[in-house]
Amino acid sequence: MISEMSPIDRAKFVAAKRAADLVEDGMRVGLGTGSTAVWLVRCLGEMVRERGLKFRGVPTSTRTAELAREVGIEVISLDEARWLDLTIDGADEFDGEQNLIKGGGGALLQEKIVATASDQMVVIADVGKEVEALGTFPLPVEVIPFGWQTTQALIEEMLVSMDVLGRQSSLRMNGSAPFMTDEGNHILDLHLGRIGNPRQMALTLNQIPGIVENGLFIDICDIVVIGYGDGRVELRDINEGTVEHDRLELDETENLFSDLAD
């Protein structure tokens, strides 16, 4: 039930529910990956079942694809869609310029491809994800398995010349084995503390051999929908320069989402 949710879960839920209202009949929509995106997919599934909403979704991971099919959303590939009207996804951090760190769920490559193949990217997040400067959340970097330790050494050498607080990196693990992305790659998490120049960091990282993609999303997000635990929602449109405020009335008897975990 809604009343049993933590404040963070309520904030994620209202952000996802408000963003779901941006989806219209006939759209091709990118569906993100992660805990907040799960709320979005469930909300959209409810709209498909209860309101007859008709759209096609392009998931950014196998996990999202499985959930989308489960709740009744028509799933297609990006190659089938070719171009998207909208992508809605979460973020691990966002700053005042709506630059993002993504990849905590390990799907940053597909997420970035889908987001950049969209007319608009909408980010949904609880208010705690907003930061003055990116970098508190470890920056994910997807690397090919071949020579990953050499790639890691090159990254750490490069970081000496960057405006960051820390230069440590770690291989993301899944139990006792390295975490594997949907593309069969590894992820290095960079513990930087603060990234003084995210744009420079993103460009420099992708020049290092062995790196597939990094989790800095620069100039990609158009709208951020910020949820609060009391039901308030803030919608910031960086292109229009507008900020909208809303409050969603929460149905305390609602239990459709009670099985979701963070």
Side-chain angles (χ1 to χ4, degrees):
M1 294 175 63
I2 298 294
S3 59
E4 297 174 353
M5 290 182 184
S6 69
I8 291 177
D9 279 342
R10 284 197 299 272
K12 292 178 179 181
F13 172 68
V14 296
K17 194 170 182 66
R18 176 64 180 85
D21 288 336
L22 300 174
V23 178
E24 301 175 359
D25 278 336
M27 278 188 169
R28 293 158 296 181
V29 180
L31 304 174
T33 296
S35 60
T36 311
V38 167
W39 298 94
L40 169 76
V41 174
R42 288 295 179 96
C43 286
L44 288 172
E46 181 186 23
M47 292 167 68
V48 168
R49 297 189 305 273
E50 302 294 330
R51 306 185 197 175
L53 176 67
K54 296 183 184 301
F55 76 98
R56 292 178 292 172
V58 175
T60 55
S61 67
T62 55
R63 301 190 304 279
T64 298
E66 290 169 358
L67 178 59
R69 292 189 181 99
E70 177 186 320
V71 300
I73 296 172
E74 180 184 355
V75 171
I76 60 174
S77 70
L78 182 59
D79 287 335
E80 290 174 294
R82 297 183 65 85
W83 194 259
L84 305 177
D85 300 286
L86 183 68
T87 287
I88 307 176
D89 203 348
D92 298 303
E93 286 185 345
F94 66 94
D95 64 16
E97 297 181 355
Q98 294 181 195
N99 293 318
L100 322 169
I101 285 182
K102 288 180 52 55
L108 65 98
L109 177 57
Q110 290 190 29
E111 288 173 334
K112 188 173 283 190
I113 292 171
V114 169
T116 54
S118 305
D119 287 337
Q120 279 195 320
M121 183 195 185
V122 176
V123 164
I124 48 178
D126 63 88
V127 65
K129 299 294 174 59
E130 183 170 16
V131 295
E132 289 188 11
L134 298 177
T136 300
F137 190 91
L139 174 62
V141 177
E142 186 162 341
V143 301
I144 65 170
F146 175 80
W148 72 264
Q149 290 175 309
T150 299
T151 304
Q152 182 181 33
L154 289 170
I155 291 171
E156 292 182 351
E157 180 181 351
M158 177 273 292
L159 289 175
V160 173
S161 63
M162 291 287 131
D163 182 10
V164 294
L165 294 180
R167 302 189 185 96
Q168 298 300 311
S169 64
S170 59
L171 179 68
R172 187 178 299 184
M173 303 296 291
N174 182 15
S176 59
F179 175 88
M180 300 291 286
T181 69
D182 281 352
E183 290 72 35
N185 296 318
H186 295 334
I187 287 184
L188 295 173
D189 290 308
L190 311 188
H191 305 274
L192 307 177
R194 179 184 60 80
I195 303 172
N197 190 331
R199 188 181 308 277
Q200 179 190 35
M201 175 71 72
L203 292 172
T204 305
L205 279 170
N206 282 5
Q207 298 302 310
I208 295 176
I211 291 180
V212 180
E213 190 52 83
N214 69 82
L216 284 166
F217 284 50
I218 309 298
D219 297 333
I220 296 176
C221 173
D222 299 288
I223 296 172
V224 60
V225 182
I226 306 166
Y228 294 78
D230 60 1
R232 287 181 295 133
V233 179
E234 182 177 328
L235 191 151
R236 301 179 191 169
D237 187 323
I238 196 168
N239 298 317
E240 298 295 331
T242 58
V243 179
E244 297 179 14
H245 297 275
D246 198 359
R247 180 184 292 272
L248 300 187
E249 296 300 325
L250 302 180
D251 181 357
E252 295 300 331
T253 64
E254 181 63 79
N255 60 9
L256 282 175
F257 312 107
S258 60
D259 61 328
L260 294 179
D262 193 292

